[in-house]
Amino acid sequence: MARHRDPLTKDLFDWQPPRVAVGYSADVIGRGRLDNKIARLVSQALRDAREDRGLTRAEVAQEMGQYLGRPISEAMLHKWASEAAEEHRIPLDAFIALVHATGARDLLGFVPGEFGLTVIEAEYADLIEERLLEDHIEEMQARRQVLAARRRARR
């Protein structure tokens, strides 16, 4: 006899933890020279903006220009997203404007990731600090117990 699943009951095994870290995966970033990685990230952010938010490169360029207070052309975006255009790399202020215009916060994880660091959502910072404090308290209590045991042993 086949068992029928209740469609209103949530599957406990379907749960996924919330994403804490910000950044693209290694398969998006790829390998190779730093300038090629940056071009791939810019390209991915523009592709995601088109697929997720319906933004064209022209719209992204316009938004970036408004944010920076200087003109950004669609052609500039094409060059920044091209691994072949080696002499054209996105400046830092334009990179920030790209994050602003596309909403691609995963871009923010790239630079710290190059140094073994991780960008986390602000809402998790207090949780991490709290856990670090708990670890420190446990270490201090263990140290206190060692000292107390040593003192009792001398009596």
Side-chain angles (χ1 to χ4, degrees):
M1 175 181 229
R3 298 182 76 191
H4 296 285
R5 186 175 167 342
D6 179 3
L8 300 176
T9 302
K10 293 184 179 183
D11 184 358
L12 295 175
F13 298 106
D14 193 33
W15 182 84
Q16 294 292 322
R19 219 175 125 206
V20 177
V22 174
Y24 283 110
S25 65
D27 60 322
V28 172
I29 298 169
R31 300 173 70 116
R33 296 186 349 213
L34 183 60
D35 55 349
N36 290 349
K37 290 178 183 179
I38 293 169
R40 282 191 290 270
L41 287 170
V42 170
S43 178
Q44 183 67 48
L46 292 169
R47 190 169 31 258
D48 290 347
R50 183 185 70 233
E51 292 172 1
D52 299 341
R53 298 178 64 192
L55 295 174
T56 65
R57 287 189 179 197
E59 292 169 328
V60 171
Q62 181 181 7
E63 177 70 28
M64 289 175 66
Q66 288 175 351
Y67 184 83
L68 294 171
R70 69 171 191 261
I72 300 290
S73 70
E74 187 177 357
M76 293 170 92
L77 286 179
H78 289 307
K79 288 188 178 186
W80 292 336
S82 171
E83 292 183 60
E86 294 180 7
E87 68 282 355
H88 292 92
R89 289 293 149 233
I90 188 168
L92 181 58
D93 62 342
F95 187 81
I96 293 168
L98 179 66
V99 174
H100 174 76
T102 62
R105 294 181 358 189
D106 283 334
L107 288 170
L108 299 173
F110 174 68
V111 175
E114 290 291 300
F115 299 96
L117 302 173
T118 301
V119 175
I120 60 163
E121 298 281 346
E123 66 183 283
Y124 298 110
D126 289 340
L127 182 65
I128 292 169
E129 183 178 0
E130 181 182 348
R131 182 62 211 162
L132 291 171
L133 286 171
E134 288 173 6
D135 288 348
H136 183 67
I137 289 169
E138 289 172 9
E139 288 175 23
M140 293 296 102
Q141 288 175 340
R143 176 73 178 140
R144 183 177 178 203
Q145 289 173 352
V146 166
L147 292 173
R150 197 181 302 164
R151 189 183 73 243
R152 282 191 299 271
R154 285 189 215 135
R155 289 184 184 171

